[in-house]
């Protein structure tokens, strides 16, 4: 990827809607994915293979995978345990992201296991010969809703053990939106110093209105792949007050204005965000969909 090209991975079908009270049916989810592709999405997190009783919005994971418009984008899913990984493989997705949580308390609440147990499971799935790209997400990488600050030394110590099996990509997730731009620079820099060739993606939440500043800090630190969600919808069922992702259309507009290419059409993305807002039945956080582009129809 050229350093002037930045990838935006669309996560609204999974992280975006997973905590919504209004359950979207299968047709609505496929429509959301189709609109995202039409707006420029080339890589989409479409679902998670988790307990449907705990996350009802993801209960149709296999049916969704079967209905995806194949060949239009790369599709990935989230797995939190071996069963979820096996389901993602059987569903024929292109990629699976396996999550390990940096803090013990959040790991227990999110995945029902310790961080060490999560690492051991990653070693099993990451070294398997299953025909699927295997990424690793480090959740709560910038702070825990229960334990608070997560020191950089703790992050490196956990990654040292986890990365004895290397992923196709490492995602650093600001699960609760606690990071500042300085935190982004420090932690991305620490990972780069230790594993200079490992692709890094950032998963950012705008919980405390620092999400876009953090994205820019990531760009300046050399990150070229970011998760974002149409309309800025999102939240984690297991993390108190972990509100919205950064909005796809807002991020694309900011990057285009700064001279970067994303492949996204921000006008189409805004229309998709408007549609999603109607489906959910409440206002969503995205700003560009309300303010409009400046200048009109700017795209890259």
């Amino acid at each position: 990827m050229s350093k002037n090209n930045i990838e935006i991975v669309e996560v609204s079908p999974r992280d975006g809607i997973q905590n919504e009270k209004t359950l979207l049916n299968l047709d609505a989810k496929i429509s959301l994915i189709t609109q995202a592709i039409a707006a420029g999405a080339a890589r989409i997190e479409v679902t998670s293979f988790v307990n449907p009783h705990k996350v009802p919005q993801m209960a149709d994971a296999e049916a969704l995978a079967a209905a995806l418009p194949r060949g239009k984008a790369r599709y990935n899913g989230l797995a939190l345990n071996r069963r979820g990984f096996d389901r993602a493989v059987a569903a024929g997705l292109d990629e699976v992201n396996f999550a390990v949580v940096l803090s013990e308390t959040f790991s227990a609440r999110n995945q029902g296991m310790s961080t060490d147990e999560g690492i051991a499971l990653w070693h099993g799935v990451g070294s398997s010969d299953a025909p699927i790209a295997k990424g690793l997400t480090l959740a709560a990488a910038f702070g825990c809703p229960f334990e608070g600050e997560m020191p950089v030394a703790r992050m490196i110590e956990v990654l040292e053990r986890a990365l004895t099996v290397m992923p196709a990509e490492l995602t650093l997730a600001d699960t609760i939106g606690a990071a500042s731009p300085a935190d982004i620079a420090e932690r991305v820099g620490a990972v780069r110093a230790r594993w200079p060739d490992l692709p890094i993606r950032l998963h950012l939440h705008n919980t405390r209105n620092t999400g876009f500043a953090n994205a820019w800090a990531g760009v300046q630190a050399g990150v070229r792949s970011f998760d974002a969600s149409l309309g800025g919808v999102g939240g984690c069922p297991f993390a108190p007050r972990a509100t919205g992702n950064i909005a796809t259309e807002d991020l694309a507009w900011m990057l285009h204005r700064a001279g970067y290419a994303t492949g996204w059409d921000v006008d189409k993305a805004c229309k998709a965000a408007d549609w999603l807002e109607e489906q959910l039945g409440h206002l969503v956080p995205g700003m560009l969909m309300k303010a409009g582009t400046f200048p009109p129809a700017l795209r890259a």
Side-chain angles (χ1 to χ4, degrees), residues 3 32 60 64 66 88-89 116 118 123 125 165 181 194-195:
K3 67 179 183 178
L32 174 60
D60 59 357
L64 177 69
V89 173
D116 282 348
H123 288 164
V125 303
V165 174
R194 176 63 183 82
W195 298 278

Side-chain angles (χ1 to χ4, degrees), residues 107-127:
S107 185
R109 298 212 185 189
N110 191 57
Q111 290 170 234
M113 66 185 71
S114 69
T115 298
D116 282 348
E117 288 171 328
I119 291 171
L121 280 169
W122 158 249
H123 288 164
V125 303
S127 61

Side-chain angles (χ1 to χ4, degrees), residues 18 49 173:
Q18 69 173 356
F49 296 89

Side-chain angles (χ1 to χ4, degrees), residues 130-141:
I132 191 170
K134 306 165 191 76
L136 178 64
T137 293
L138 185 66

Side-chain angles (χ1 to χ4, degrees), residues 138-160:
L138 185 66
F142 298 88
C144 171
F146 308 105
E147 297 179 24
E149 299 288 353
M150 289 286 104
V152 175
R154 163 70 176 173
M155 180 190 75
I156 294 298
E157 182 266 326
V158 167
L159 288 177
E160 285 280 4

